[in-house]
Amino acid sequence: MFDGASNFSYATDFTFLFTIIVSGFFLLLITFLMIYFVIKYNRKRNPVAENISHNTTLEIVWTVVPLILVLTMFWLGWRDYLKQEAVPKNAYAIDVTAQMWIWSFKYPNGKQTDTLYVPVETDIVLNLKSTDVNHAFYVPKFRIKKDVYPNQSRKLWFNAKELGSFEIACAEYCGLNHSYMYNKIVVMPKNDFYAWVNSEYKYPSEISLAQKTSEAIKN
Ligand code: CUA
């Protein structure tokens, strides 16, 4: 928790933590009260049952407090959902195609890869499409996930805050080899990314390799 690598990770983790703390607190409280009442009001200690018709204060408290808590959970989720749905206008667009059982990525200039490369600290929008069945594009470390449907283009945006290589998974069972739909998303320094995407090389590592080779030839 709180080790995410995108602009959405902190808020998502905070909502999750809030929900866990509230749930954990009530799990302990209710379990404790149940055991306590079972002992306190057992037959030996209370041979004659008492009939309590109501307690207005208690009823208001146990309605209003949970109401505030669940509405807070809802509000946290809704606030982040709206942010995730509001794709920035100038986001860098990459087409993502899901098919049984691979992901492929197409950049604005037509370059295509099976690993997703993105520049760091840049708004990226993915246009998600499927050529066959339902899939789901999921980057756990970025706390982003969206279903991908055939005959429908859906958008998912993010801003990667950390350099490195992270897991992409398909999070919707899509047939026999669903579990094969793992890929990597590689977050690169901006300059390296644009140099690579405009180069003829398919893999970014080939750039540095080519640069090293040309330097070696010069020297
Ligand atoms: Cu694609 Cu599961």
Side-chain angles (χ1 to χ4, degrees):
M1 209 173 256
F2 297 111
D3 62 345
S6 84
N7 57 326
F8 296 129
S9 15
Y10 186 86
T12 304
D13 288 1
F14 180 82
T15 306
F16 193 57
L17 183 67
F18 177 80
T19 311
I20 284 187
I21 288 174
V22 170
S23 311
F25 172 77
F26 281 102
L27 174 73
L28 292 177
L29 180 71
I30 292 166
T31 310
F32 168 78
L33 287 176
M34 268 165 45
I35 295 169
Y36 175 73
F37 289 147
V38 162
I39 295 166
K40 187 174 179 193
Y41 295 107
N42 70 12
R43 213 170 170 178
K44 275 184 225 145
R45 291 176 204 220
N46 281 274
V48 184
E50 215 177 313
N51 188 11
I52 300 165
S53 75
H54 69 282
N55 183 326
T56 310
T57 316
L58 203 56
E59 282 162 16
I60 288 173
V61 168
W62 79 41
T63 305
V64 171
V65 171
L67 186 70
I68 291 170
L69 289 171
V70 291
L71 281 178
T72 307
M73 287 175 200
F74 169 78
W75 176 75
L76 287 169
W78 178 245
R79 181 192 64 169
D80 298 338
Y81 171 77
L82 290 182
K83 269 185 217 155
Q84 299 197 9
E85 287 302 298
V87 179
K89 274 196 192 116
N90 300 321
Y92 186 86
I94 300 171
D95 291 334
V96 178
T97 305
Q99 66 185 93
M100 291 188 273
W101 289 279
I102 53 165
W103 295 104
S104 50
F105 306 100
K106 197 171 170 191
Y107 302 85
N109 62 4
K111 188 193 272 274
Q112 244 174 311
T113 57
D114 53 9
T115 296
L116 175 57
Y117 297 98
V118 296
V120 74
E121 296 279 357
T122 306
D123 295 339
I124 308 286
V125 60
L126 303 176
N127 298 313
L128 305 167
K129 271 176 293 176
S130 165
T131 59
D132 39 49
V133 299
N134 293 1
H135 302 267
F137 184 88
Y138 181 33
V139 184
K141 193 84 173 171
F142 287 9
R143 314 289 193 258
I144 53 169
K145 174 155 75 175
K146 193 151 218 170
D147 284 358
V148 187
Y149 304 134
N151 312 318
Q152 210 186 106
S153 180
R154 310 188 78 207
K155 290 183 191 303
L156 176 66
W157 84 277
F158 63 89
N159 188 316
K161 296 292 176 195
E162 251 178 59
L163 296 172
S165 169
F166 309 99
E167 208 85 60
I168 295 172
C170 177
E172 175 83 52
Y173 183 71
C174 55
L176 196 61
N177 294 332
H178 157 71
S179 59
Y180 286 14
M181 288 187 75
Y182 276 105
N183 278 58
K184 292 281 182 200
I185 175 166
V186 178
V187 181
M188 303 165 72
K190 283 184 198 181
N191 291 342
D192 290 9
F193 173 82
Y194 291 109
W196 165 75
V197 84
N198 295 316
S199 74
E200 63 191 285
Y201 302 104
K202 191 161 184 199
Y203 303 105
S205 58
E206 292 175 32
I207 302 177
S208 51
L209 198 65
Q211 276 168 353
K212 275 174 205 154
T213 314
S214 65
E215 275 162 16
I217 292 168
K218 271 184 222 156
N219 297 331

